[in-house]
Amino acid sequence: DTGVSQDPRHKITKRGQNVTFRCDPISEHNRLYWYRQTLGQGPEFLTYFQNEAQLEKSRLLSDRFSAERPKGSFSTLEIQRTEQGDSAMYLCASSTSQRLGGLNANEQYFGPGTRLTVT
Amino acid sequence: AQTVTQSQPEMSVQEAETVTLSCTYDTSENNYYLFWYKQPPSRQMILVIRQEAYKQQNATENRFSVNFQKAAKSFSLKISDSQLGDTAMYFCAFTISPSNTGKLIFGQGTTLQVKP
């Protein structure tokens, strides 16, 4: 267990429905990332938060996707009007920009992911 | 644009043997970090080893070591004394200086099977 949790672990939804995923990072971490991983591929960057500010979004993140990190703690990723092409594993990771105890700067710790299936 | 390429989709190794996974990357940056991540079946991705580009010495973590060739933009992972628990998908990843966003760019992955 890396200390990063995600909920739910699995989500099956029908095309056109909205879904929301939650990520709880390691508490000392000020950086939070969302990635998408399709079967047999490496994760692809979606978006990045430093504290509560969303500082970068990938072109992969269409206008149907929105992410928030209120108060710089947990984060949510919402997909509106889901499409079959959205089926993937959504991974959250957190890191710190400072060296804290045994945690190395910029070392990302990943959650277990939320597997989304759109039928 | 930065890219990471892993040319070996699948590899296998006998338990206790040594295996090397290949990775090449492309960037015009001079200050960056390289990582190998392990993703066991249905389990969380964990960091195996990291290498700072400004360090000439190759990183080592117990049975895992890297061969970092900056000029060739190559970053291979060597696993010595392979164990059954090493069976996993391995991803090579890259990020530019931590003062930037720190987002990771991943390769396609190599599935490693350790056989008893």
Side-chain angles (χ1 to χ4, degrees):
Chain A
D1 185 1
T2 62
V4 179
S5 60
Q6 292 186 246
D7 183 70
R9 297 289 304 275
H10 304 273
K11 179 70 177 180
I12 300 174
T13 191
K14 293 184 177 180
R15 187 176 55 188
Q17 297 295 305
N18 300 343
V19 294
T20 300
F21 311 142
R22 176 180 171 123
C23 170
D24 286 273
I26 294 172
S27 59
E28 302 91 347
H29 284 183
N30 58 341
R31 293 181 161 189
L32 187 145
Y33 304 83
W34 284 98
Y35 295 87
R36 181 170 69 188
Q37 184 179 21
T38 53
L39 198 62
Q41 298 297 313
E44 296 173 294
F45 169 77
L46 291 179
T47 191
Y48 159 68
F49 289 86
Q50 178 144 332
N51 300 310
E52 67 276 6
Q54 187 175 20
L55 298 184
E56 186 170 346
K57 293 194 293 185
S58 163
R59 285 173 292 178
L60 293 174
L61 213 65
S62 74
D63 56 5
R64 296 184 298 105
F65 288 70
S66 62
E68 293 182 342
R69 192 183 183 196
K71 303 179 183 178
S73 56
F74 71 92
S75 176
T76 59
L77 177 68
E78 181 183 16
I79 309 174
Q80 296 182 328
R81 305 182 302 281
T82 53
E83 302 173 355
Q84 287 188 322
D86 297 332
S87 295
M89 176 77 85
Y90 290 84
L91 297 171
C92 174
S94 70
S95 71
T96 175
S97 54
Q98 300 174 4
R99 188 175 180 89
L100 295 173
L103 302 176
N104 291 316
N106 206 44
E107 182 173 319
Q108 293 187 28
Y109 293 78
F110 282 81
T114 295
R115 182 166 296 283
L116 173 67
T117 302
V118 181
T119 61
Chain B
Q2 291 93 4
T3 59
V4 178
T5 302
Q6 293 178 250
S7 58
Q8 304 153 314
E10 296 180 355
M11 293 192 72
S12 64
V13 63
Q14 292 295 132
E15 195 175 8
E17 297 293 308
T18 295
V19 65
T20 298
L21 308 184
S22 301
C23 173
T24 58
Y25 59 94
D26 187 24
T27 182
S28 58
E29 300 288 334
N30 193 47
N31 186 16
Y32 51 87
Y33 289 64
L34 293 159
F35 306 87
W36 279 97
Y37 278 87
K38 170 185 178 182
Q39 189 175 41
S42 301
R43 294 183 63 187
Q44 287 170 258
M45 192 172 308
I46 57 173
L47 180 66
V48 174
I49 198 166
R50 60 182 275 163
Q51 174 82 42
E52 289 87 343
Y54 65 85
K55 291 185 177 179
Q56 292 186 339
Q57 187 173 8
N58 289 326
T60 299
E61 288 286 343
N62 301 313
R63 298 182 295 107
F64 299 88
S65 61
V66 298
N67 182 6
F68 174 47
Q69 301 289 329
K70 190 172 184 179
K73 296 182 180 175
S74 169
F75 182 62
S76 61
L77 174 70
K78 186 172 81 170
I79 306 174
S80 303
D81 185 26
S82 298
Q83 300 176 359
L84 296 178
D86 295 334
T87 292
M89 197 155 186
Y90 287 81
F91 292 99
C92 178
F94 161 100
T95 189
I96 59 177
S97 170
S99 61
N100 205 291
T101 66
K103 69 180 181 185
L104 291 169
I105 298 169
F106 286 87
Q108 308 91 319
T110 296
T111 300
L112 176 66
Q113 183 173 15
V114 180
K115 298 180 178 179

